Structure formats: C-alpha cells, structure tokens
Amino acid sequence: MTFPGAGRGAARWRSIALLAALSLGAGRAAAQERPGDAGGRQETKEIADADAQQALGAPAALPTRVASLSLDKTIVQLTVGFRDVVDGEISKKLLSGLPTVITMRGYLFHESGGNPVALAAKSCRVVYDLWDEVFRIQLIQAGGQSSTVAVNVEGVLRNCAEARRLPLVERSLVRDGNRYFVAVLVEVNPMSAEMLDRIKRWVTRPPGSTAIGPGDSLFGSFVGLFVTRIGNADRRLAFRTQAFLPPAPPPSPPPPPQSPPSR
C-alpha cells in the first residue's frame, strides 16, 4: 500500500542522505589538506607547527622558495611571494567582515649558520566592508603605517601576501663573498596585540635599522613568543629563500668628458 506523498518523502530523504555523504567526504578530504582542525587535520597541523619551529631551530632545513634581492642605494631589499598562506578557509574569513591579520617576518642568516643578522617584517590588517563591498587594509611595514582599499581578494593578496622590495639589511652589514639566506615565517591571525605592537615598533625604526643580535631584547621576545605561542595562528607558512651573495652596488658613473685645453 502506498501513502500519498511517500514517493516525494523518500526522494527527499535520499537527497538528505546524499548531501550528508558528500559533506562527510569533503570533511575527510579537508582533514588531509587544512591544518588546525580535529581528526586527521590535527596531524597536518602538528607537521606545520614542527616546520615553523624549524625556522628558528634549523632554518636551513626549511623548504626553499625562490626570492629576488636588490639594492636600493645602501639597503638590500627582499621580494618574495607567499600567497598560498590564503587558502579556502582564510578566504572565507576575509569575506566575513571580521578583522584578519597577516604577518610576515624574514630572518637573515649566514649560510654557514649562526645567529640571525637582521630581521625584516610587515603586518597587514584586513577588514571586509560589508556595506561598500571593499576590503579595507592597514599596512605596517618599513616606512610606517598606510591604508589602502582592495576591491577583491586578488588585491588583498597583492598587498598582504607578497613582500615587494622589503628593506632587509644595510648593505654594509653583509660581507662580499659570503652567502646568506632568509628564513620566512608567515602567519594569519597569529599573535597577541602586544606582539603586533612589537612588530609595529620594529618596522617603524629608521631605514637600515634592521640589524639584530642575540642580546637584542626585541629579538629575544620575538623568539620566545613565537615558540611558546606557535599554535595560536589560524594558518602559517615557514620557508627559506635560496642562498645568495650580497647584491653588488651599481658601477660608478664614468667621469664627465674633459674639454680639450684651450690654445
């Protein structure tokens, strides 16, 4: 005996069951891809945390990413991309209207090892304006703080997920013939307000004041808070650049031609 509407009800339940199965499959796939969630994702998160820890413990062992170095007068500048820090989950957070912070820190090391020579950093705070449908961005990097607007996620990536000609170190602090590399830590929603304030004070120092040493109190706090609070970020990347020689200064211009002596 068939009741009225039974066919429609059965079809509806089959649809619900199919959606549940698809959601379960998607969840399992995501567990293998995104760090920071329960189940299988926990293992991936632990691996990511371990990789990030290496940036200060064994930075030379980090995966290598190609970067470019240039020289602007007396300052060595770094250009490198890290757009992959913004995955699907972070893109959703960017569109939520809640603040999202992306920070980048690059530690300059001798290829032969030892303590970092210099530190370059930038911080980017993004809020999606739900009324105007634009991303409002506050950038903190060498030179101070600035504000801009992006109309889409591509604009956010261009401003916040790339370092373009970021001041790295005074040229006089690196030696000709020695090879160096930069260990880079990128984090999304990573730290306390206190740490973000420390980054702001670091990057707004005078140009060329990026040198650090073991006794530098600010550098010490960076290391300590990074290690103890490493699990707090929504997402992180840790990588190193290729080894490089300090960029050579441009050749001196030729002397102006001398006029022939008058007779």
Side-chain angles (χ1 to χ4, degrees), residues 54-60 106-118 179-184 219 244:
Q54 282 185 301
L56 294 172
Y107 295 88
L108 179 67
F109 287 90
H110 288 278
E111 187 182 32
S112 58
N115 292 316
V117 176
R179 294 170 66 85
Y180 298 83
F181 70 91
V182 182
V184 179
F219 171 68
F244 58 86

Side-chain angles (χ1 to χ4, degrees), residues 34-220:
R34 295 194 303 269
D37 295 323
R41 280 174 284 185
Q42 183 62 35
E43 181 180 355
T44 306
K45 179 180 183 297
E46 290 172 356
I47 293 172
D49 287 351
D51 286 344
Q53 290 273 19
Q54 282 185 301
L56 294 172
L62 289 170
T64 302
R65 184 169 300 200
V66 176
S68 64
L69 284 300
S70 56
L71 186 65
D72 180 24
K73 298 180 180 178
T74 63
I75 305 295
V76 179
Q77 298 176 321
L78 171 70
T79 297
V80 67
F82 37 90
R83 290 179 167 223
D84 45 326
V85 77
V86 178
D87 61 2
E89 287 298 310
I90 301 303
S91 294
K92 290 178 184 177
K93 291 187 177 184
L94 287 171
L95 290 164
S96 70
L98 297 174
T100 299
V101 178
I102 301 174
T103 63
M104 172 264 184
R105 286 173 281 170
Y107 295 88
L108 179 67
F109 287 90
H110 288 278
E111 187 182 32
S112 58
N115 292 316
V117 176
L119 168 63
K122 68 177 289 185
S123 175
C124 191
R125 185 178 186 270
V126 186
V127 178
Y128 184 62
D129 188 323
L130 298 170
W131 183 261
D132 292 334
E133 297 184 335
V134 295
F135 295 94
R136 303 198 180 278
I137 300 171
Q138 290 182 341
L139 273 169
I140 300 173
Q141 55 187 351
Q145 183 171 328
S146 61
S147 299
T148 188
V149 171
V151 298
N152 51 30
V153 174
E154 168 62 25
V156 174
L157 295 177
R158 191 166 54 248
N159 282 280
C160 302
E162 297 176 0
R164 294 192 303 272
R165 300 180 68 86
L166 185 69
L168 178 62
V169 67
E170 180 76 32
R171 178 61 175 82
S172 61
L173 296 178
V174 290
R175 300 176 182 175
D176 292 332
N178 287 9
R179 294 170 66 85
Y180 298 83
F181 70 91
V182 182
V184 179
L185 306 172
V186 184
E187 296 177 295
V188 180
N189 295 330
M191 333 175 219
S192 65
E194 178 188 4
M195 176 55 71
L196 292 174
D197 183 63
R198 291 176 185 271
I199 289 180
K200 180 179 179 179
R201 286 189 283 116
W202 179 267
V203 301
T204 53
R205 286 154 53 132
S209 303
T210 60
I212 55 178
D216 191 306
S217 60
L218 180 59
F219 171 68

